[in-house]
Amino acid sequence: MAKSQKKTNEVKEPSIIVRPVARMGGLDNIHVALLVLVAILIAIVVVVSYSRPVLVKTISNCTYGALNGTCYTPAQNVSSIKGIVEKTLASYAYVNSPTYVLAYMSNVSAINASFIPTSGEWLASFPFNEPEANGSTAKVVLSMLISDKTGKLVGVSSNIGIPSSPTNNTVVSEGVIKIAKQISCAEPTPLHVQWFMDPYAPSAIQSLSNVTNIQSTYGSKVNLTINIIQSQYTQQYADTYGTGNALALGAYVFCASRQGNFTRFSNNLQTAYDGQYMPPSELASIASSSGLNSSSLNMCVNGADHQISAQTLLGQFYGVDITPSVVTDCEYMSLPTTERGAICYSNSTLC
């Protein structure tokens, strides 16, 4: 009886079952299935995240491009850059080097300007008719680099120097410069053309062919006058032969241009001229063989010194720095070879 009571009072201890490690790491089928499902869901999320398109914020209607969703807003624009190029090119007309042709041989109507955001500069390119040794030209493209912040020229292609003395003149057409602060002549017709030349300057006498061609082409529609200026080319002979004798060539050209047989005189003078000093006696002989009125010619030549002084001052008023140069309609500068362009730009009805 005592033995039975002892069994009744005993407390049964909980038992812990330890299962042996199986090939599933001790996991049953349900847990394995859950783990597989979680892995599949993670894989799906990864695939979807990589396959979704990347949304990039873009800005439309940005003329000069955009960065970080913001349009570039340069200080300059295409129009102002073209104006800077046109003024810079005009400044080359006063550079004492062969680069002066940049002012007259560049096609400003074809200027192409683009902004470079990374450097804050503008690249402007334009066609240039580069003179060749044989007298022809070769078309090349030149470029100018302009600071957007200051609007100043930074550099020029082909190792061309930057003009040190910029002017307010502007290249308005190929071979045609608008002279700053000058306005159209008071007389609209006929078109006023003033031919400034020191006859001893290189190519000056040869430019008389351009004079006679223009007179023949336009007739009474153009009033062409020859103005003689005394520059360093005449002065070099004045030091040796005297001022009066040195000015004789210019005096004969000016006075002959006021007579009807000027074309004949011009042709004979070009044939006889060899680029050296010409004495008054030789000039008188050419004038006589050209059929000029000797009495009128001599009267004009004898008083030509004062005329040449006044015409030299007139050339300074227009800023003539290269001889020969042509001023059309009192406001446009050109070279003899580009004068037709100046005539057409001044009055398109003539072309």
Side-chain angles (χ1 to χ4, degrees):
M1 190 69 182
K3 187 177 180 179
S4 299
Q5 184 67 33
K6 184 178 179 180
K7 289 183 179 181
T8 303
N9 293 335
E10 287 181 357
V11 178
K12 189 176 182 180
E13 296 290 338
S15 61
I16 299 174
I17 300 176
V18 179
R19 296 181 181 274
V21 177
R23 59 190 183 94
M24 290 295 184
L27 300 178
D28 56 24
N29 292 335
I30 295 177
H31 287 87
V32 172
L34 288 174
L35 290 176
V36 172
L37 179 60
V38 170
I40 293 174
L41 290 174
I42 293 174
I44 293 174
V45 170
V46 172
V47 171
V48 170
S49 64
Y50 278 96
S51 62
R52 290 179 63 188
V54 178
L55 298 178
V56 179
K57 184 179 180 181
T58 59
I59 303 295
S60 60
N61 300 323
C62 286
T63 304
Y64 305 105
L67 179 65
N68 297 329
T70 303
C71 291
Y72 288 115
T73 55
Q76 309 293 333
N77 55 43
V78 173
S79 179
S80 64
I81 291 298
K82 288 183 177 181
I84 293 171
V85 173
E86 290 166 352
K87 284 190 175 183
T88 302
L89 286 173
S91 298
Y92 281 102
Y94 301 92
V95 175
N96 188 21
S97 74
T99 57
Y100 82 91
V101 297
L102 281 171
Y104 297 101
M105 306 299 283
S106 300
N107 186 0
V108 294
S109 64
I111 295 175
N112 183 28
S114 57
F115 180 57
I116 307 174
T118 54
S119 63
E121 295 169 333
W122 288 81
L123 180 65
S125 59
F126 51 89
F128 169 68
N129 295 317
E130 185 176 23
E132 298 285 322
N134 59 4
S136 62
T137 59
K139 288 188 178 296
V140 298
V141 176
L142 298 181
S143 299
M144 289 184 177
L145 204 59
I146 300 169
S147 169
D148 177 65
K149 183 178 180 180
T150 64
K152 293 183 179 180
L153 186 64
V154 176
V156 188
S157 62
S158 301
N159 297 321
I160 298 172
I162 298 175
S164 58
S165 301
T167 70
N168 289 322
N169 296 346
T170 304
V171 177
V172 293
S173 180
E174 186 173 356
V176 186
I177 296 175
K178 171 68 174 67
I179 307 173
K181 299 182 180 179
Q182 297 296 337
I183 60 175
S184 176
C185 294
E187 304 85 9
T189 55
L191 186 66
H192 199 37
V193 175
Q194 300 174 82
W195 207 277
F196 290 91
M197 59 180 288
D198 182 329
Y200 282 114
S203 75
I205 293 299
Q206 289 80 359
S207 77
L208 295 177
S209 294
N210 300 88
V211 170
T212 55
N213 287 338
I214 288 174
Q215 290 175 328
S216 175
T217 300
Y218 298 101
S220 60
K221 296 178 181 179
V222 169
N223 178 23
L224 192 153
T225 58
I226 292 180
N227 298 290
I228 304 299
I229 60 176
Q230 183 179 354
S231 70
Q232 71 271 23
Y233 299 104
T234 291
Q235 189 60 42
Q236 67 180 341
Y237 294 117
D239 297 337
T240 303
Y241 301 101
T243 300
N245 289 330
L247 291 176
L249 177 57
Y252 271 88
V253 171
F254 167 69
C255 294
S257 68
R258 305 175 70 180
Q259 296 197 25
N261 285 335
F262 176 66
T263 299
R264 186 176 176 184
F265 171 82
S266 173
N267 293 336
N268 292 336
L269 178 61
Q270 291 180 68
T271 300
Y273 182 69
D274 61 357
Q276 302 298 319
Y277 167 73
M278 296 189 74
S281 58
E282 184 178 0
L283 293 167
S285 176
I286 294 173
S288 177
S289 63
S290 301
L292 298 180
N293 186 302
S294 57
S295 59
S296 298
L297 180 68
N298 292 335
M299 185 179 298
C300 176
V301 169
N302 291 333
D305 290 3
H306 299 292
Q307 293 280 358
I308 292 175
S309 296
Q311 292 167 5
T312 300
L313 291 175
L314 183 61
Q316 294 174 356
F317 170 76
Y318 284 119
V320 173
D321 193 62
I322 297 173
T323 175
S325 291
V326 189
V327 175
T328 303
D329 197 22
C330 301
E331 61 177 337
Y332 299 108
M333 186 92 69
S334 66
L335 296 178
T337 54
T338 64
E339 172 53 20
R340 289 180 183 267
I343 291 175
C344 294
Y345 189 87
S346 302
N347 187 345
S348 60
T349 64
L350 298 178
C351 302

